[in-house]
Amino acid sequence: MSATLQASGSQLLLPNLCSFAVRLTSEITSLNATSGSGVAVDYNSNGIEIFDRGSDYDLANNKFIVPVTGLYQLNFSLRVQSIDTNNYILGGIRVLSYSGNGQGTTEADNLYAQSYAISGAPPTDFHHSQNSFLVSLTAGVEIEHVIRSESDTTITLNDRGVSFSGFLVG
């Protein structure tokens, strides 16, 4: 894929500029996200691809494959329901091939993450988190949106607020 900028007269054209967005269209209930590095959000079975300019998001495998080395803006949103009291949720962007700890299977493999605490909240409450990251990525790297919890195996991801998107900045 070519990610070059072109000019036509006084108009800037952005052919093949990598960008994608996926979102859930149905709830994921009783999610067990207690494994060390979390589980990928299953957009293939429970969501749709809103757009994929450049065909760089692999919906069948729930991952973004970086087409060209460059600076990328990555965004994800979580809307979580039914969390046990005093639990936490960790949402992140994981580099699939990263093995900085020598294993490639622990929380350290999350590229970026944010956690938030739930204390005394009823299980019917929703908890929303939005995250954006500007990061330099190398062509061929595979990225996925992951979620992990401290101990709760009954998490529900709500279909009205879970998404993953990104675009090449330059």
Side-chain angles (χ1 to χ4, degrees):
M1 182 190 102
S2 170
T4 58
L5 300 178
Q6 299 174 356
S8 173
S10 62
Q11 184 179 11
L12 184 62
L13 305 175
L14 304 172
N16 303 321
L17 186 61
C18 167
S19 60
F20 71 93
V22 292
R23 70 175 179 85
L24 287 186
T25 56
S26 62
E27 283 186 348
I28 299 177
T29 59
S30 299
L31 179 68
N32 184 350
T34 58
S35 69
S37 61
V39 296
V41 177
D42 188 359
Y43 292 105
N44 181 37
S45 299
N46 300 288
I48 61 168
E49 197 172 71
I50 300 168
F51 61 87
D52 186 6
R53 189 176 204 180
S55 301
D56 304 305
Y57 190 82
D58 179 358
L59 186 62
N61 295 298
N62 298 303
K63 63 184 176 182
F64 167 59
I65 303 168
V66 177
V68 294
T69 298
L71 195 58
Y72 287 82
Q73 173 78 33
L74 298 175
N75 315 287
F76 72 86
S77 176
L78 290 174
R79 188 173 188 210
V80 183
Q81 182 181 358
S82 303
I83 304 169
D84 287 343
T85 302
N86 297 320
N87 200 349
Y88 70 86
I89 299 299
L90 181 72
I93 306 294
R94 179 170 55 202
V95 178
L96 292 173
S97 61
Y98 177 74
S99 59
N101 63 355
Q103 300 296 317
T105 58
T106 70
E107 186 176 331
D109 296 323
N110 284 337
L111 181 63
Y112 293 97
Q114 180 170 332
S115 62
Y116 55 95
I118 309 334
S119 181
T124 54
D125 279 2
F126 291 98
H127 308 278
H128 197 212
S129 174
Q130 292 181 306
N131 302 268
S132 296
F133 310 103
L134 191 60
V135 61
S136 180
L137 297 172
T138 305
V141 168
E142 298 177 348
I143 308 284
E144 63 183 0
H145 178 197
V146 296
I147 182 171
R148 186 173 84 78
S149 75
E150 177 181 20
S151 60
D152 191 350
T153 60
T154 61
I155 295 169
T156 296
L157 291 183
N158 189 271
D159 58 331
R160 291 174 287 165
V162 178
S163 64
F164 178 34
S165 63
F167 60 92
L168 175 64
V169 175

